[in-house]
């Protein structure tokens, strides 16, 4: 059976598909004699909002098959979404995997027609980090691994490392999906601050809180700044629609999604459900929102979701004290993640400062003092960006369309609302006052006070 | 005679060309009987660095014919420059003329093959503003006119007025010329701060000043920020080169030049030689550097060049006192230009705040207070951007490749250097401390202290 046009796969047809692709047949040893060829099992294991995910395995191997659908799975066909996003996910897996192979699952196969990615299965005990955080499991290497992932993927895709020409080439490859971008613009930067049919919250407890967001002028000012940093670079769609009428194969370059700040290749959705963990392993998955955007969007997503996990803890157990040590571990992880990121990133910058990067020409930034000043300023702005984006992402998870399991699994609504309110208030403060903070230790102190 | 491929026009062939184009023949009444057809005169009147400009006239009419050459005229063929810039100039003349018809000469004809623009001749007593400033002529309407031009062209091409889709369409039309952009990046944002074969200054007087620029760490930090606001959006060239191999007619969309901050359609070179004036009329010409970039780049160019004119005055006359009143008029013009710009721009914003503009959605920015706060913040950032870009442009005119006639016409080198040094020191201070200034009156006070 050949798959020459987009077909939504099910547990049956995915087997047909695997058999039709040589790379996958070979991994699963389907052409060999013996048991492997016979005993293929398929399980749909997707729990995300946007895709179907199948685990196809036999005694020889296990493969993840992820298919993007042309709408948001949890909302249904009423919210269409381009399935071209699989292309960007595949490209990002490849690029981030090249840069940090220990923290990204291997890409086996990509089929643009089917919007289908085949990649390495991360076997148990790998679980989604968010589930680990809900269960109260400590991951002693998490901060180090994520800091490594972020510092390397962000540095090596920025103009600190790239020449302008290389940067252009890379950005072109990742010119993204305007539908996905428009989606983020709406759900992260607009809806929480206006009346929207998609918004919901723990009602009636948080009714006044949600109302207050829509009347908080200072917050609206800050979100405007972040939105403009994230917003798609406004030209590519037309250029590409002109194109499309002429060259079909260029479709991957089209309906582009650029940030006003094309700082680096960002994962674009680096929350705690995009990370799979064991105590020894940290794997970053699902980069379908990847594009050249502001670095702080990734760092903020990760730190903001750790903070959500922190505030959920008291609702997850009967006695708040039961998770006291665990809450401390989360705060340490917040602090270590930023500090290790900072250290790694600046070390990479120092190492490559006489390289091809064109942001700070060595002939101009030609002494250790100016280098240090430039780095400090750069990192301070990145820190403030990260706090702002992190806060924006916390807010939208409490009053916007898509919530997080950390809070959703607290069944007592009053208790849940109380946890959410603390997180919301912290996030509001961070969004408004982020530039007053000089280091992550101050953030951790502020969290402790809530 | 037909002009089917690029031919550099001279005083002879430009007549052949005019005869071959119906729109121009008709304006000049070449097909009518009588004197007009016979007595065409041609004069090369270009004094810019990048083009040849012919005045073609007879008793019926006068037409300006401007041809772009594939190199920088004043440097010669050693510094090649794409002639596609004529396209952007024609598009900008048309767009800015549509928005502010009283301040932009009418476009009659554009020939992409010949890189040729035909436009209305601005007859005497119109002169280049810079020459008027050197001669000490006051233009009482200048501030009002330029403020009107800037407020309207910038507002109506920004996301405050455009929907995202319209903005995309417009930006696509103006995706510019990466060569021109690279040129600006180098001559404005890099060369003055590093050793470059193109730099020159009033030597030996300013040798230590030029040297000091290359060792001023704080200045280098600030210029990095402005450079990143101006820098081309880093993707278009590749996308377009891919394109080019396929669709030749799309050449005008290609080798794009985008700013990281695609805020509005800016003139891109709004110094005092890009403005022609009489006491009653103010006309903005030469928008060949036009692209969607930071608004402050235009405002800064104009204000910065007025400041250069201010500092040149003492060198232009034997007794400094002779130009005392004139210097005061320049300072008033600096102050009025910004203040009237501010007033006009905010009035346009208020008038259109419930329109299609997507930067501040009416449903989010839905009360007068937040509207006022958002405007104040926006205008303050724009003010600081303008000061920074203005300062950068002053510096590059003193130690970079292309100088200004205001200073160049001071024959006594010691005297010239003394004027230049004051301007340079003011510009350095503005570039470093621009965010400390709250209004233009403070800037004028600071200038008086130099």
């Amino acid at each position: 059976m050949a798959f020459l046009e987009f077909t939504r796969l099910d547990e049956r047809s995915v087997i047909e598909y695997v058999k039709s692709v040589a790379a996958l047949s070979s991994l699963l040893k389907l052409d060999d004699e013996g048991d492997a060829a016979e005993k293929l099992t398929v399980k749909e294991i997707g729990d995300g909002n946007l895709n179907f995910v199948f685990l196809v395995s036999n005694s020889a191997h296990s493969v993840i098959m992820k298919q993007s659908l042309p709408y948001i799975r949890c909302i249904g066909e009423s919210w269409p979404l381009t399935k071209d996003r699989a292309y960007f996910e595949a490209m990002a897996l490849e690029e981030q995997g090249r840069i940090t192979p220990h923290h990204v699952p291997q890409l086996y196969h990509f089929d643009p027609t089917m919007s289908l990615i085949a990649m390495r299965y991360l076997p148990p005990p790998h679980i989604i980090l968010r589930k680990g955080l809900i269960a109260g499991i400590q991951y002693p290497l998490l901060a180090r691994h994520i800091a490594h992932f972020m510092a390397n993927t962000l540095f090596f895709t920025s103009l600190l490392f790239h020449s302008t020409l290389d940067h252009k080439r890379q950005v072109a490859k990742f010119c993204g999906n305007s539908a996905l971008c428009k989606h983020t613009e709406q759900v992260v930067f607009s809806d929480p601050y206006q009346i929207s049919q998609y918004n919901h919250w723990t009602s009636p407890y948080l009714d006044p809180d949600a109302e207050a967001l829509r009347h908080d002028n200072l917050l609206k000012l800050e979100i405007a700044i972040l939105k403009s940093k994230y917003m798609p670079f406004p030209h590519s769609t037309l250029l590409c629609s002109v194109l499309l009428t002429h060259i079909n194969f260029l479709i991957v370059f089209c309906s582009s999604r650029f940030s006003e700040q094309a700082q680096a290749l960002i994962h674009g959705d680096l929350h705690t459900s995009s990370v799979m963990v064991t105590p020894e392993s940290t794997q970053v998955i699902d980069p379908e929102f990847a594009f050249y955007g502001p670095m702080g969007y990734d760092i903020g997503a990760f730190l903001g979701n750790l903070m959500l996990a922190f505030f959920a803890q008291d609702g997850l157990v009967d006695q708040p004290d039961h998770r006291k040590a665990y809450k401390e571990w989360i705060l340490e992880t917040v602090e270590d993640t930023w500090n290790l990121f900072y250290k790694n990133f600046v070390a990479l910058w120092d190492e490559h400062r006489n390289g091809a990067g064109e942001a700070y020409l060595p002939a101009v930034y030609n002494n250790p003092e100016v280098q240090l000043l430039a780095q400090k300023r750069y990192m301070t702005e990145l820190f403030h960006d990260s706090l702002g984006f992190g806060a924006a992402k916390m807010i939208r998870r409490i009053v916007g369309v898509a919530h997080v399991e950390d809070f959703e699994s607290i069944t007592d609504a009053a208790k849940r609302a109380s946890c959410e309110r603390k997180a919301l208030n912290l996030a509001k403060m961070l969004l408004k006052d982020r530039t007053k903070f000089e280091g992550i230790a101050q953030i951790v102190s502020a969290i402790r006070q809530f």
Side-chain angles (χ1 to χ4, degrees), chain A:
Chain A
M1 183 171 169
F3 294 83
L4 300 175
E5 56 182 34
F6 180 81
T7 318
R8 183 178 143 183
L9 291 178
D10 56 24
E11 300 197 357
R12 228 180 137 110
S13 53
V14 77
I15 291 186
E16 296 307 310
Y17 184 88
V18 164
K19 288 180 178 166
S20 75
V21 175
L24 302 178
S25 304
S26 158
L27 272 171
L28 292 157
K29 301 198 170 137
L30 299 187
D31 301 329
D32 294 5
E33 284 175 40
D35 283 356
E38 298 310 311
K39 297 188 180 160
L40 269 185
T41 62
V42 180
K43 208 173 147 191
E44 209 279 299
I45 58 167
D47 65 347
N49 293 328
L50 307 170
N51 312 288
F52 281 95
V53 182
F54 301 95
L55 167 60
V56 180
S57 53
N58 62 12
S59 56
H61 206 77
S62 295
V63 173
I64 290 292
M65 306 286 294
K66 178 174 175 185
Q67 186 175 38
S68 303
L69 299 179
Y71 49 82
I72 297 183
R73 183 175 170 185
C74 68
I75 298 176
E77 306 197 11
S78 67
W79 198 328
L81 201 61
T82 168
K83 58 191 169 50
D84 293 345
R85 63 190 188 276
Y87 165 78
F88 302 103
E89 176 163 358
M91 298 286 282
L93 278 174
E94 198 165 43
E95 177 73 359
Q96 295 175 336
R98 197 182 55 73
I99 297 171
T100 56
H102 297 306
H103 300 300
V104 177
Q106 194 185 342
L107 176 72
Y108 294 141
H109 170 70
F110 167 57
D111 180 337
T113 307
M114 291 288 284
S115 303
L116 190 73
I117 287 167
M119 67 184 116
R120 189 165 87 89
Y121 171 58
L122 299 169
H126 278 102
I127 59 168
I128 292 287
L129 171 58
R130 194 184 301 283
K131 293 189 187 287
L133 293 166
I134 292 167
I137 304 169
Q138 295 193 14
Y139 297 95
L141 300 178
L142 177 64
R144 198 202 295 178
H145 286 168
I146 287 289
H148 179 87
F149 171 83
M150 294 195 304
N152 282 269
T153 57
L154 298 178
F155 178 83
F156 285 112
T157 59
S158 75
L159 272 168
L160 297 174
F161 179 73
H162 281 158
S163 71
T164 307
L165 187 65
D166 281 349
H167 203 62
K168 279 174 187 170
R169 287 205 180 106
Q170 290 303 313
V171 177
K173 262 167 59 179
F174 282 94
C175 65
N177 182 315
S178 61
L180 240 64
C181 190
K182 197 89 197 158
H183 172 80
T184 300
E185 257 180 77
Q186 182 181 340
V187 301
V188 178
F189 298 106
S190 296
D191 274 0
Y193 311 94
Q194 66 184 353
I195 290 167
S196 160
Q197 59 170 313
Y198 300 110
N199 287 341
H200 64 101
W201 52 80
T202 305
S203 188
Y205 306 96
L206 294 187
D207 289 358
D209 304 78
E211 170 89 10
L213 280 185
R214 297 196 299 272
H215 294 93
D216 193 325
N217 290 345
L218 293 178
L219 212 58
K220 291 180 181 184
L221 283 187
E222 297 302 330
I223 203 73
I225 292 172
L226 294 169
K227 183 181 171 190
S228 91
K229 286 200 178 203
Y230 175 88
M231 253 168 90
F233 186 73
H235 89 290
S236 344
T237 301
L238 177 76
L239 180 55
C240 292
S241 67
V242 172
L243 254 177
L244 265 180
T245 60
H246 292 88
I247 322 171
N248 257 326
F249 81 88
L250 263 176
I251 192 164
V252 293
F253 283 100
C254 298
S255 42
S256 305
R257 170 183 189 237
F258 285 115
S259 155
E260 206 173 272
Q261 192 179 29
Q263 204 172 19
L265 176 61
I266 66 172
H267 178 283
D269 201 25
L270 193 52
H271 52 70
T272 49
S273 294
S274 294
V275 180
M276 294 197 73
V277 283
T278 72
E280 292 81 32
S281 164
T282 308
Q283 303 289 326
V284 179
I285 60 171
D286 289 355
E288 63 196 336
F289 283 84
F291 72 114
Y292 271 75
M295 297 178 181
Y297 196 77
D298 272 4
I299 304 164
F302 188 74
L303 297 180
N305 275 270
L306 283 183
M307 294 179 204
L308 292 177
F310 173 88
F311 286 107
Q313 295 300 321
D314 288 349
L316 292 169
V317 286
D318 292 335
Q319 298 295 325
D321 274 4
H322 289 178
R323 287 282 176 92
K324 206 174 162 190
Y326 193 64
K327 285 168 69 180
E328 274 308 305
W329 174 80
I330 296 180
L331 294 184
E332 275 164 35
T333 304
V334 166
E335 195 164 345
D336 290 350
T337 300
W338 171 260
N339 286 336
L340 290 170
F341 168 79
Y342 192 115
K343 207 175 134 192
N344 290 344
F345 193 90
V346 167
L348 290 169
W349 189 341
D350 285 339
E351 191 182 338
H352 297 279
R353 65 174 302 266
N354 293 313
E358 291 197 40
Y360 292 87
L361 298 176
V364 176
Y365 300 87
N366 53 2
N367 64 66
E369 277 161 71
V370 73
Q371 173 75 359
L372 194 67
L373 285 168
Q375 285 178 341
K376 272 202 176 151
R377 167 117 71 165
Y378 192 99
M379 298 308 284
T380 300
E381 191 179 339
L382 184 50
F383 181 57
H384 294 151
D385 280 2
S386 302
L387 296 177
F389 285 121
K393 299 195 73 141
M394 291 172 76
I395 291 170
R396 77 96 152 195
R397 292 297 189 181
I398 298 167
V399 300
V401 60
H403 289 218
V404 289
E405 199 181 335
D406 313 59
F407 291 131
E408 295 300 294
S409 55
I410 303 171
T411 46
D412 177 337
K415 209 167 166 185
R416 180 167 74 242
S418 156
C419 294
E420 288 173 328
R421 183 176 294 116
K422 285 181 193 159
L424 189 62
N425 287 337
L426 176 84
K428 285 167 66 174
M429 184 278 287
L430 284 183
L431 190 46
K432 290 184 208 175
D433 294 336
R434 66 190 184 285
T435 58
K436 294 180 187 149
F437 290 92
E438 287 173 14
I440 192 76
Q442 293 176 345
I443 302 296
V444 168
S445 300
I447 297 174
R448 282 210 182 88
Q449 286 163 28
F450 269 78

